[in-house]
């Protein structure tokens, strides 16, 4: 008995049958004597469909109006799930993000939670109701609706679990847990019984969409007991938790992120302060820069390449073009044909040969590496998008047995 937060993603609430399936899981948890808060995403491809609808109107919609539109998807799911729960005799109430107390900053379409005010949720729980909360959305200080970025319902669930000191936060999805690679792409991928917050954070940040990276960051910060499991197959999933075995080294997974663009600036002067000027501009626009490659200087000039999320690439090129006179450079290019493939595992730096095995797997398959970046917990390579799935399989076969 305790307080349990359960989150169900889009596929898990896709249609009537799936909604009743979720209702049964929730009702069983409630009948076992637990307080239950349920967080749901929009049904199936609803969010993508809404984005497509906006594109029919304009290619440059205001971010505020996008959030107003996208938040409707989750509102459909919460009401339908609450109806289903009530229909099977489980007392439930649905709350939108703002009713549930999600206060965010004003960064529409990628807002961050600034404060949780869980009074309403608590009072509904006291009335012995299951509380069904719309994921992915909140409200800013002007009472405008905001959304937390794609995959943001995971973050909503963890934020509630952290605020209410929940005993468990269960992320129900369409696979049976966290695997060593995307099980839909790599059939030999293995389910992990457990994974550390740090490893999961890397995997999520490097493209394993099974958990949103901000949700893992939050879970780590507040030590939220997190579990990823299937809404269709009632078997134990993957536990995400603090590290216990610090010395051991195991590659936990291979991840792919196809949503990257390489921005290059040719012939920038090879002088102190250049990186500060370029990356300062990116920071001003809240654009995250990932892998950075700088060529050796020649004739007092060098080339600078770096990766950003494809969604930020247009803005990145625009501010660079606008400020070109401040840093020089002959040409700014953008390449969307790349992807990032990464291996993740704690303690990588103290185990030699891991990176070279990864490169060997790529060499054996004739896959060219364009950029490399390493840390103590991961090795990432940038390569052609068309080679990415082959690369993930080859690296998985070489390093995970
Ligand atoms: P939900 O709608 O439940 O939030 P998502 O589509 O966001 O589900 O995330 C689940 C998907 O993540 C899976 O269907 C799977 O294809 C993908 N995925 C990518 N990498 C991994 C991984 N390492 N382990 C498990 N699933 C992964
Ligand atoms: N519905 C939102 C999305 O598709 C949020 C989520 O599913 O977590 O990104
Ligand atoms: Mg998701």
């Amino acid at each position: 008995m305790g307080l349990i937060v359960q989150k169900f993603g889009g596929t898990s609430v896709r249609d009537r049958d799936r909604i009743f399936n979720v209702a049964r899981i929730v009702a069983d948890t409630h009948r076992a004597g637990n307080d239950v808060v349920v967080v749901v995403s929009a049904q199936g491809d609803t969010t993508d469909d809404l984005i497509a609808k906006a594109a029919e109107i304009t290619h440059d919609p205001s971010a505020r109006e996008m959030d107003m539109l996208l938040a409707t998807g989750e509102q459909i799911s919460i009401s339908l799930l609450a109806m289903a729960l009530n229909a099977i005799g489980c007392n439930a109430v649905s709350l939108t993000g703002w009713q549930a107390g999600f206060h965010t900053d004003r960064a529409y379409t990628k807002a961050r939670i600034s404060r949780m005010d869980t009074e309403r949720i608590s009072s509904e729980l006291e009335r012995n109701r299951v509380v069904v909360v719309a994921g992915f959305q909140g409200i800013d200080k002007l009472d405008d609706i905001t959304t937390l970025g794609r995959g943001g319902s995971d973050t909503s669930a963890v934020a509630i679990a952290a605020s209410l000191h929940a005993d468990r936060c269960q992320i129900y999805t369409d696979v049976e847990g966290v695997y060593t690679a995307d099980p839909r792409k790599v059939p030999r991928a293995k389910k992990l019984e457990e994974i550390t917050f740090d490893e999961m954070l890397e995997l999520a940040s490097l493209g394993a969409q099974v958990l949103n990276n901000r949700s893992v960051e939050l879970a780590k910060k507040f030590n939220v007991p997190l579990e990823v499991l299937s809404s269709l197959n009632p078997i134990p999933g993957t536990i995400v938790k603090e590290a216990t075995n610090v010395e051991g080294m195991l590659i936990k997974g291979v991840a792919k992120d196809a949503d990257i663009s390489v921005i290059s600036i040719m012939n920038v002067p090879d002088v102190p302060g250049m990186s500060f000027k370029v990356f300062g501009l990116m920071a001003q626009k809240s654009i995250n820069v990932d892998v950075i490659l700088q060529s050796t200087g020649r004739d007092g000039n060098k080339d600078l390449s770096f990766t950003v999320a494809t969604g930020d690439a247009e803005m990145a090129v625009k501010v660079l073009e606008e400020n070109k006179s401040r840093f020089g450079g002959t040409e700014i290019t953008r390449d969307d044909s790349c992807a990032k493939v990464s291996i993740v595992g704690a303690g990588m730096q103290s185990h030699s040969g891991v990176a070279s095995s990864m490169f060997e797997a790529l060499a054996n398959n004739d896959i060219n590496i364009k950029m490399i970046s390493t840390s103590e917990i991961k090795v990432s390579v940038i390569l052609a998008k068309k080679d990415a799935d082959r690369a993930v399989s080859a690296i998985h076969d070489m390093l995970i047995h």
Side-chain angles (χ1 to χ4, degrees), residues 7 151 154 209-210:
K7 179 256 167 179
D154 298 335
Q209 99 211 54
V210 62

Side-chain angles (χ1 to χ4, degrees), residues 174-188:
D174 55 3
V175 287
E176 285 162 11
V178 180
Y179 283 70
T180 51
D182 186 340
R184 296 187 196 286
K185 297 275 170 57
V186 181
R188 290 173 305 282

